[in-house]
Amino acid sequence: MNKLFQTKHHLWLELVFASFAIKDEAIKSRLYDFSQINFRHMKWIANETLLKGKDYNYDRDMMLYKQESVFTILQNLQNRFQDAMQSYGDDTLAGRMRTDDEYLLTYIEELLEDKSNDAPITAFNMERKYKNKNLAQEQIDALTLFLFEESYKEYELILIYAYMQARTDNLMQYNVFQDLIDESHFHLKSFGNMMAELGILALPRELHERTYMIDDLEKFIKDGIAEEEAAKEMCKELSSAIKDEELSKFFDFINYQESYHIALMEKLL
């Protein structure tokens, strides 16, 4: 079960980062939807694993290859999912995952049949230019640092909250964890798309098990509140540093969302 969980963890990341890398809005949106379905697969596998008295972890053995075209990304996804499906069992959950993945493969095949869907990928070119904006080098540097730090933080929080959610019978806790997971998905998506626009798309680093195997929940939540406060300060500093109205408003928007995350975590306390 842990091996299957790791496989789905990889597939979720493959899909979500493919959606960040591809510029075509229709393909991007559809792949992101499939990534969310695969994240639910992870959740269901985790629940089944715990019901059987076993455990799982977030160990990772994958790389994000710097693909140069939409079709190479799609072909990689096609190969990864075809290989993964060989390891599914024959229970109800495996049946659901298989039919979901078969539909994804059908969608990918349809895309590959139309050459007009292919396009260059610039998400890894390290150009560090954001759209048509003329940002000073120090502003680009500040934005780059923020995106790397915060994309890891959001990835980390998604997995930690999911890990704790699977282990609580308290409805209020479960709902708060779900809200925090959903919010972190949105932030990761926002930051991942910005990284791709800058040409610096990269996987967040792997989590050590001590990050998510929480012994002292109260301490973890208090530390999390302090981390959210620090993220709010980073957002405010970035909003002030970047002389661009659109980007400043976006980081103010994220800052206000972090404020509510703190309120949710205080509710847990």
Side-chain angles (χ1 to χ4, degrees), residues 14-266:
E14 296 263 13
L15 276 170
V16 78
F17 277 82
S19 81
F20 298 158
I22 293 173
K23 290 186 177 182
D24 183 285
E25 288 297 332
I27 300 174
K28 175 190 286 288
S29 176
R30 199 74 181 278
L31 291 181
Y32 188 79
D33 288 344
F34 281 116
S35 79
Q36 293 301 287
I37 291 172
N38 271 261
F39 188 80
R40 289 198 291 278
H41 292 175
M42 286 173 61
K43 178 180 180 179
W44 297 333
I45 295 167
N47 291 339
E48 291 284 335
T49 302
L50 295 176
L51 282 174
K52 292 177 180 179
K54 299 181 180 180
D55 209 346
Y56 58 92
N57 58 53
Y58 291 128
D59 290 355
R60 240 175 47 197
D61 181 21
M62 65 172 290
M63 294 180 63
L64 186 64
Y65 293 103
K66 297 181 178 181
Q67 310 286 4
E68 296 185 355
S69 74
V70 170
F71 273 20
T72 56
I73 288 180
L74 294 176
Q75 287 161 351
N76 178 66
L77 286 173
Q78 189 179 51
N79 294 334
R80 292 285 292 113
F81 273 85
Q82 287 172 342
D83 290 344
M85 288 170 65
Q86 304 305 312
S87 64
Y88 296 175
D90 56 5
D91 59 8
T92 304
L93 176 55
R96 164 62 194 261
M97 294 192 301
R98 183 173 288 106
T99 54
D100 284 349
D101 292 357
E102 285 172 349
Y103 186 66
L104 167 63
L105 289 170
T106 299
Y107 173 66
I108 291 174
E109 188 61 39
E110 290 172 353
L111 292 176
L112 291 171
E113 288 173 357
D114 184 351
K115 291 183 179 180
S116 69
N117 290 318
D118 202 9
I121 294 294
T122 60
F124 309 104
N125 66 11
M126 301 298 290
E127 196 168 288
R128 295 214 301 158
K129 290 184 179 178
Y130 192 75
K131 298 182 179 178
N132 59 347
K133 299 183 183 300
N134 187 25
L135 300 178
Q137 190 59 50
E138 60 268 21
Q139 295 173 335
I140 289 289
D141 291 343
L143 180 58
T144 299
L145 179 62
F146 175 88
L147 291 173
F148 272 104
E149 291 187 357
E150 291 302 297
S151 62
Y152 170 74
K153 188 197 95 171
E154 300 301 344
Y155 168 68
E156 175 190 57
L157 291 178
I158 289 167
L159 296 186
I160 292 173
Y161 292 138
Y163 194 85
M164 294 194 294
Q165 185 188 51
R167 287 160 174 77
T168 184
D169 294 323
N170 181 291
L171 181 60
M172 186 275 287
Q173 288 184 15
Y174 185 94
N175 287 334
V176 169
F177 288 141
Q178 187 61 55
D179 286 338
L180 290 167
I181 291 166
D182 292 343
E183 294 280 279
S184 288
H185 273 301
F186 172 72
H187 286 190
L188 179 62
K189 178 183 179 182
S190 299
F191 301 150
N193 282 325
M194 293 179 78
M195 292 175 81
E197 184 67 37
L198 283 164
I200 57 170
L201 188 61
L203 277 180
R205 63 187 181 273
E206 186 178 352
L207 270 65
H208 191 281
E209 64 178 22
R210 283 180 297 188
T211 309
Y212 54 89
M213 293 184 178
I214 309 298
D215 294 324
D216 187 339
L217 184 57
E218 183 175 354
K219 180 180 183 303
F220 167 77
I221 295 170
K222 288 181 177 178
D223 289 347
I225 290 172
E227 188 176 22
E228 294 287 1
E229 292 283 8
K232 279 173 56 62
E233 287 304 313
M234 285 188 69
C235 281
K236 286 192 285 187
E237 290 173 9
L238 202 56
S239 178
S240 299
I242 293 182
K243 308 305 180 186
D244 179 86
E245 185 176 0
E246 179 189 351
L247 285 172
S248 292
K249 285 181 177 179
F250 170 74
F251 288 112
D252 286 340
F253 162 68
I254 296 295
N255 174 34
Y256 299 141
Q257 292 195 337
E258 300 286 11
S259 296
Y260 192 67
H261 297 172
I262 292 170
L264 288 172
M265 297 174 82
E266 288 172 341

